[in-house]
Amino acid sequence: MTDGRITLAVDAMGGDRAPGEIVAGALGAVDELGVAVRLFGRASEIRACLPGGEPPEHVEMVDCADVIAMGDEPAASVRRLPDSSIVRAADAVRDGEADALVGAGNTGAAMAASLLRMGRVRGIARPAIAVAIPVPGSHPQVLLDAGATVDVEPEWLVQFARMGRIYARTRWGVAEPTVGLLSNGEEEGKGDELRKRTGALLRAEPGFVGNVEGTDLMVPGGPDVVVTDGFSGNLVLKTLEAALRSFSGLVLSILTSESLADVSDRVVPPLVEAAATFDPDVTGGAMLMGVRGVTIISHGSSSARAIVNACGLAAECVRADVVGQLAGTVGRAG
Amino acid sequence: MTDGRITLAVDAMGGDRAPGEIVAGALGAVDELGVAVRLFGRASEIRACLPGGEPPEHVEMVDCADVIAMGDEPAASVRRLPDSSIVRAADAVRDGEADALVGAGNTGAAMAASLLRMGRVRGIARPAIAVAIPVPGSHPQVLLDAGATVDVEPEWLVQFARMGRIYARTRWGVAEPTVGLLSNGEEEGKGDELRKRTGALLRAEPGFVGNVEGTDLMVPGGPDVVVTDGFSGNLVLKTLEAALRSFSGLVLSILTSESLADVSDRVVPPLVEAAATFDPDVTGGAMLMGVRGVTIISHGSSSARAIVNACGLAAECVRADVVGQLAGTVGRAG
C-alpha cells in the first residue's frame, strides 16, 4: 500500500485495446477512486501512454519482458514466462506488494497465474468466476461459475454456492442470499446427471431454493446466487451479451431511422443511459473466487471506463475482505 | 388427409391457456393455412370453445378421456394413459390419420408420446428439439438440442449436426449449411470433455466450422446450425428469452414514461412490430427431430397466434418431408 491506499496490480499489456485503454483506465482509477496502481508491462510501451511520459503520483511502472497473448495456451505460458506482465502482477499480490490483480487479457492466463502463483484458498477444490448479472429494479444476481472450471463435480458446485453467498452478502448486503441451481426445469429431478447429484447435496445448504431456469435470470424475485458449471455458465453469459447486443441494435436502428429523425434526440439518450445497466463495461468485470488474493477479470475489449470499473470492483472486494471471508467460511456451510 | 389437405393432430388440452387458445389457434390455422385439424381432448370442453358448439368444416374432434398435466412425469404418464389427448394425437400420426402433431402442453409428454408411439427414425440414437433462433437481417439459425436429450454422447451430437443441416436446408433453403459446436471458446481444444471428444468427430462432417460461442447467436455470419446438448441448449434458449423480456420491458417503460408521452404513439408501434422477430409466438414452436413423424412443440403459454404459427411450421415440415429426408440421409454424413 501507498499512503494507506489500496494498491492494484494492473496488467497493462492485457486486452484488445492494451496498453492505451488499460493505462488510461488505471490513471482514471487513481483519480476517481483514490487507489494506487502498479502497471505491469513493457515500460517503454506503458510510458508512451502516459501524459508527459512519466507516471503521475500513486502510479508505478513495473517493467516486464514478456506478454502472454490472447491465443496462448494459459498454464503452459504462465509456467514458461515468469517475467510476463500477468505473472508478475499475480506475484505482487502474493507477496503483499499489491492488494488485488486486474487483468483484461487472456482469461485463462489470468486464472492460471492466480492459481499457480497465489494458490487456492484452503478447502476450495476449484476456483469459479463470479459475474454480476443485472436485474432492473434490484441488486444484481451473481452467476458462478462463468468459465473457470468446465468439468465439475457436484461437491464443487456446492462450494460455488457458498462462494456465491459470500459474494452477494459482501457486495450487495444481502443478509441471507438465496441460491438456485441452474437447470432445464424447476421440478426436483430435472436436469442432467450432474444436476441431479448436485441438487441432492444442495438441499442441505442454507438459502437453497431448488432448480432455476434461464428465465429466472435478470428478473426481480429470482435467486441471488445462480450456480452452474463453468461451461454452461460461459454459454449463458455470452448468450446474454448476444441477445442484448442484437436487440439493442434493432431498437437503435429503428429509433434513428429517417421517419423518427425529429424525435430521436429525445428518445435515444434515455435509452442509452438505461442500457448502461446491461453494459459489461459498467459491471466492472468478474471476480475469480477461490484463489488466495483478489483477481478481477475484465473482458477482452475493455475500454478505459471498463478498467476504472474493474478497479472499483477490485477495491470493493479488498475492502470487504472477500478472500478472508472465503477462507473462514467456505469449508463449512455459510 | 381431407381433400388433399394436410391434416394436423392438435392436442387441444395442452398448454397454460388450453383449450380456449389452442382451439382458437387450430380454427385459425384452418382458415389461414388451408390445413385440416383434428382436435384431441375432452369433447365437452372443446365443444365449449367452438362457435356454435360444433366443429366447422375441416375440423374434427376426437374425444379422449384423459389429459397429461404440465407437472406429470412424462414417460410414466404416457404409458399409463393411452387415452390421453397427447398419446391419441401421436397415435393418429403413427397410423396415418394425421400428418403431424402439434402440442403446447407438457413438453416431456409430447416427446415421450412421439418416441414411444411413433418410434425413432432408424439410425438415430436420440431425438433432438430444433429451435429457430432469430437473426435480424438474415434467415434464422437452428439450435439443437433445445432440451430433448440432456445427457449425451459425442456420436449423438454428430447426428444432431446432420439433423440440423437437413432442417436449415429444408426450411430456409440454405444449400450448404454451416455447423458450429457451441462451446466456451472458439479455439480448438476449448470446451469440456464432451466438447473435446465431439469436436474431433465433427471435423469429419460437411459444413463444420469449429467451436462457436454464445456471442455467435443472433448475428449474421454466425453458423446456420448450432449444436449442443439438450441441457445447455435449454439454458441458452431460456436465457435468450429472459434477456429479451428484461430488455424490452426496460425499453418500453422508458418510451411510455410521462416525459415522452407525446411521442410514444410514434415510437412504440414500430418497435413492437420489430420485436415480433424475437417473439416465440411468432417463431412457431420447435420440431422434435428423430422420431418417425412430424412433432411440433409449442411453448406452454401459447396463444392462438402461436398455435397458428406452430401449425404453419408443422405443415411446412410435412410438405418438405423433413422426416423422410432424415431417414434417407442421417445414417451417413449429409
Side-chain angles (χ1 to χ4, degrees):
Chain A
M1 306 228 187
T2 326
D3 299 349
R5 283 178 180 239
I6 287 174
T7 302
L8 306 177
V10 176
D11 176 7
M13 311 307 288
D16 305 335
R17 298 155 84 177
E21 291 289 308
I22 312 297
V23 171
L27 300 187
V30 170
D31 286 345
E32 294 179 31
L33 309 170
V35 297
V37 297
R38 294 184 169 209
L39 294 168
F40 289 78
R42 294 193 189 106
S44 59
E45 293 185 38
I46 295 173
R47 210 180 288 276
C49 305
L50 293 170
E54 282 304 320
E57 205 182 356
H58 306 303
V59 177
E60 197 185 321
M61 288 190 302
V62 183
D63 189 32
C64 309
D66 296 314
V67 172
I68 297 179
M70 280 304 204
D72 291 346
E73 207 284 305
S77 305
V78 165
R79 289 201 174 85
R80 196 167 44 84
L81 299 172
D83 197 23
S84 59
S85 54
I86 188 71
V87 173
R88 294 280 304 277
D91 285 348
V93 174
R94 178 196 61 198
D95 298 339
E97 291 161 10
D99 299 299
L101 166 63
V102 174
N106 183 322
T107 298
M111 290 194 297
S114 301
L115 258 174
L116 296 172
R117 313 300 287 207
M118 304 178 193
R120 278 202 302 270
V121 170
R122 190 188 301 265
I124 302 269
R126 291 290 186 286
I129 295 177
V131 172
I133 305 282
V135 179
S138 177
H139 65 80
Q141 298 172 303
V142 54
L143 171 84
L144 72 178
D145 174 23
T149 307
V150 294
D151 288 296
V152 306
E153 296 293 330
E155 292 75 15
W156 307 352
L157 289 177
V158 172
Q159 294 191 340
F160 294 177
R162 293 177 188 174
M163 295 199 281
R165 294 190 89 219
I166 289 172
Y167 190 94
R169 200 177 276 151
T170 320
R171 274 206 78 189
W172 304 306
V174 184
E176 287 300 331
T178 52
V179 176
L181 176 64
L182 197 58
S183 191
N184 63 326
E186 294 198 340
E187 304 85 354
E188 197 180 313
K190 270 279 189 180
D192 57 6
E193 282 308 313
L194 173 66
R195 266 24 82 154
K196 288 176 189 164
R197 287 166 57 209
T198 304
L201 298 178
L202 279 174
R203 272 186 278 285
E205 293 289 310
F208 184 59
V209 298
N211 285 350
V212 297
E213 303 187 64
T215 41
D216 294 305
L217 296 170
M218 311 183 78
V219 286
D224 301 309
V225 180
V226 178
V227 172
T228 194
D229 62 279
F231 181 80
S232 56
N234 187 274
L235 293 191
V236 160
L237 196 66
K238 293 200 174 140
T239 300
L240 277 181
E241 261 184 67
L244 297 175
R245 191 180 306 153
S246 180
F247 196 70
S248 60
L250 185 74
V251 168
L252 280 181
S253 72
I254 290 170
L255 294 182
T256 56
S257 65
E258 213 170 318
S259 62
L260 294 172
D262 58 314
V263 296
S264 62
D265 278 0
R266 285 183 58 205
V267 296
V268 171
L271 281 179
V272 170
E273 195 189 321
T277 318
F278 296 104
D279 184 347
D281 269 17
V282 173
T283 53
M287 181 180 184
L288 179 67
M289 297 190 82
V291 295
R292 274 211 299 260
V294 171
T295 293
I296 303 299
I297 296 171
S298 198
H299 61 94
S301 58
S302 286
S303 63
R305 175 52 37 201
I307 296 298
V308 173
N309 288 320
C311 288
L313 174 56
E316 210 179 305
C317 293
V318 170
R319 258 182 236 111
D321 189 23
V322 174
V323 174
Q325 292 194 47
L326 265 186
T329 58
V330 95
R332 59 173 194 279
Chain B
M1 306 229 185
T2 325
D3 299 348
R5 284 179 178 238
I6 287 174
T7 302
L8 306 176
V10 176
D11 176 8
M13 312 307 287
D16 305 335
R17 299 155 84 178
E21 290 290 308
I22 312 298
V23 171
L27 301 188
V30 170
D31 286 346
E32 295 180 31
L33 309 171
V35 297
V37 298
R38 294 184 169 209
L39 294 166
F40 290 78
R42 295 194 188 104
S44 58
E45 294 185 36
I46 295 173
R47 209 180 289 278
C49 305
L50 292 171
E54 283 302 322
E57 205 182 356
H58 306 302
V59 177
E60 195 186 324
M61 288 191 303
V62 182
D63 190 32
C64 309
D66 296 314
V67 173
I68 298 179
M70 281 302 205
D72 291 348
E73 207 285 303
S77 305
V78 165
R79 289 202 174 85
R80 197 167 45 83
L81 299 172
D83 196 23
S84 59
S85 53
I86 187 72
V87 173
R88 293 281 304 277
D91 285 348
V93 174
R94 178 196 60 199
D95 298 339
E97 292 161 8
D99 300 297
L101 166 63
V102 173
N106 184 322
T107 297
M111 290 194 297
S114 301
L115 258 174
L116 295 171
R117 315 300 285 206
M118 303 177 193
R120 279 201 301 268
V121 170
R122 190 188 301 264
I124 302 269
R126 292 290 186 287
I129 295 177
V131 173
I133 305 282
V135 179
S138 177
H139 65 80
Q141 298 172 303
V142 55
L143 172 83
L144 73 176
D145 174 23
T149 307
V150 294
D151 289 296
V152 305
E153 297 293 331
E155 292 75 15
W156 307 351
L157 288 177
V158 172
Q159 294 191 340
F160 294 177
R162 295 177 187 173
M163 294 199 282
R165 293 190 89 219
I166 289 172
Y167 191 92
R169 198 176 280 150
T170 320
R171 274 207 78 190
W172 304 305
V174 184
E176 287 300 332
T178 52
V179 176
L181 177 64
L182 197 58
S183 191
N184 63 325
E186 292 198 341
E187 304 85 354
E188 197 181 313
K190 269 280 189 179
D192 56 7
E193 283 308 314
L194 173 66
R195 265 27 80 156
K196 288 175 190 164
R197 287 165 57 208
T198 305
L201 297 178
L202 279 175
R203 272 186 278 286
E205 293 289 311
F208 184 58
V209 297
N211 285 350
V212 297
E213 302 188 65
T215 41
D216 294 305
L217 296 170
M218 312 183 78
V219 286
D224 301 310
V225 180
V226 179
V227 171
T228 193
D229 62 278
F231 181 80
S232 57
N234 187 274
L235 293 191
V236 160
L237 196 67
K238 292 199 175 142
T239 300
L240 277 181
E241 260 184 68
L244 298 175
R245 191 181 305 154
S246 180
F247 196 69
S248 61
L250 186 73
V251 167
L252 278 182
S253 73
I254 290 170
L255 295 182
T256 56
S257 64
E258 215 169 316
S259 62
L260 294 173
D262 57 315
V263 295
S264 61
D265 279 1
R266 286 184 54 206
V267 295
V268 172
L271 281 178
V272 169
E273 194 189 322
T277 318
F278 297 104
D279 184 348
D281 270 17
V282 174
T283 52
M287 182 180 184
L288 179 68
M289 297 190 82
V291 295
R292 276 212 299 261
V294 171
T295 294
I296 303 299
I297 296 171
S298 198
H299 61 94
S301 57
S302 286
S303 63
R305 175 51 38 202
I307 296 298
V308 172
N309 289 320
C311 288
L313 174 58
E316 210 179 304
C317 293
V318 170
R319 258 182 235 112
D321 190 23
V322 174
V323 174
Q325 293 196 46
L326 266 186
T329 58
V330 97
R332 59 175 196 277

